[in-house]
Amino acid sequence: MGLMNLLSEKISRIKLIHDDIRIYLRFLNEIGTANIHWGLWNNKPSKIISKDEFVLAQADLSKFVIVNIPKSVKSILDVGGGVGGFSHDLVKHGFNLLCIVPDKKLINFGKKRFPEVKFLRGSAEFFSTNMKYDTAIMLESFQYFSDKGRALSNISKYLNNNSSIMIIDEFDFSDDLSLGLPIESKLIKSLGKFGFLIKKNIELSEKVMPTCDFVSTYFKYKNSKIYGNWASRKTEYLSGKIKYKLLVFEKN
């Protein structure tokens, strides 16, 4: 079996969680943004949130993540980088960057928008590269990994000895653990097995919640399923069942 056939077989076994990738790509085009991630709302949004406010909030989240990258980092694996919008920001800041994405539609979209970003089609669990990097960043992608243990093991193989891992994502703090999101304590324990200790743990829940309002309003008359998902998401945040966090792990 050829290498590409083997890669395709492995990627096909990875569960890609998208309600409909085409819907979200259309959303990006209509909003005028190239990021799929949540926004960080440093200012109180308008009662009816505008597209410009949302794009600014997304840019502020990217800036916040970049500020928290360890100072020694020069090269980055952006694992699950979507269409490469955040990777584009990293390249602008002078980082050597490889963006890992399993879906070819997202890569094709990203290559047209960001020709300077180097993409590699692969899953977190199975990607392979001949280089090692200073850090791996998972910006809202970790929750979608089908086999999180295998993914962390694979990612750690391509990091230098003195390296770091950054995970910015939603975490499940419900009593019944029914939301299907990662568990913070389990993640800390898992990365400890690979020698990574947590150095930063920053909760951003209140500053990301307005995104629920913006996206649910946008899809209210376009897609009832997506509208319902985002509307209920805010309820789960308000109840404390979900928390949005930035976690930084370092290995010395």
Side-chain angles (χ1 to χ4, degrees):
M1 181 181 291
L3 179 60
M4 289 307 297
N5 288 335
L6 181 61
L7 176 62
S8 297
E9 180 184 325
K10 287 181 177 180
I11 290 175
S12 69
R13 285 190 259 136
I14 300 301
K15 184 180 180 184
L16 297 176
I17 304 177
H18 296 291
D19 285 302
D20 190 323
I21 289 174
R22 288 173 298 178
I23 291 176
Y24 283 108
L25 291 181
R26 191 181 309 125
F27 170 75
L28 297 181
N29 274 324
E30 292 180 2
I31 297 303
T33 180
N35 288 307
I36 296 178
H37 63 66
W38 292 57
L40 186 70
W41 302 81
N42 290 317
N43 301 310
K44 185 177 179 180
S46 304
K47 187 173 182 180
I48 300 177
I49 302 171
S50 69
K51 295 178 182 179
D52 289 342
E53 286 177 287
F54 178 60
V55 172
L56 176 61
Q58 287 192 313
D60 284 345
L61 179 57
S62 293
K63 290 176 185 176
F64 185 81
V65 174
I66 291 171
V67 165
N68 282 280
I69 294 174
K71 300 300 182 184
S72 60
V73 169
K74 298 186 184 305
S75 58
I76 297 175
L77 282 172
D78 183 5
V79 186
V83 297
F86 180 59
S87 289
H88 166 71
D89 292 336
L90 293 170
V91 171
K92 285 197 303 182
H93 279 78
F95 293 105
N96 177 24
L97 193 287
L98 180 62
C99 184
I100 310 294
V101 182
D103 191 276
K104 63 182 180 181
K105 291 180 182 177
L106 295 177
I107 291 177
N108 290 339
F109 184 95
K111 282 183 174 179
K112 292 177 183 177
R113 189 75 72 91
F114 307 114
E116 77 283 2
V117 173
K118 183 179 179 182
F119 288 92
L120 174 65
R121 188 180 178 211
S123 65
E125 293 87 344
F126 293 108
F127 80 87
S128 174
T129 175
N130 58 6
M131 291 183 61
K132 289 199 173 186
Y133 293 79
D134 296 328
T135 195
I137 299 181
M138 286 149 267
L139 177 51
E140 297 172 15
S141 59
F142 182 70
Q143 64 173 283
Y144 297 115
F145 297 166
S146 296
D147 188 332
K148 294 176 176 56
R150 179 187 285 273
L152 294 175
S153 176
N154 189 50
I155 291 167
S156 65
K157 290 192 303 185
Y158 300 105
L159 296 177
N160 293 316
N161 290 331
N162 297 321
S163 58
S164 57
I165 288 177
M166 299 181 67
I167 297 178
I168 307 93
D169 216 325
E170 299 176 289
F171 291 87
D172 189 339
F173 285 85
S174 66
D175 292 333
D176 58 5
L177 306 180
S178 62
L179 300 171
L181 295 171
I183 312 300
E184 181 185 87
S185 58
K186 186 175 180 180
L187 170 62
I188 293 172
K189 184 177 180 181
S190 296
L191 279 173
K193 295 177 181 178
F194 300 106
F196 290 92
L197 302 177
I198 191 161
K199 297 296 182 180
K200 289 185 182 180
N201 188 336
I202 304 172
E203 184 178 352
L204 301 168
S205 301
E206 288 189 9
K207 286 194 170 187
V208 303
M209 272 196 290
T211 299
C212 298
D213 296 324
F214 177 76
V215 180
S216 61
T217 299
Y218 175 87
F219 282 107
K220 187 171 184 178
Y221 301 108
K222 294 180 174 70
N223 187 300
S224 59
K225 181 179 179 181
I226 296 177
Y227 164 73
N229 288 343
W230 281 87
S232 63
R233 210 60 158 187
K234 184 173 182 179
T235 301
E236 290 159 344
Y237 269 101
L238 290 170
S239 68
K241 289 183 177 180
I242 296 178
K243 295 181 181 180
Y244 188 106
K245 292 196 167 192
L246 180 149
L247 306 179
V248 180
F249 300 82
E250 293 185 6
K251 180 180 181 181
N252 297 315

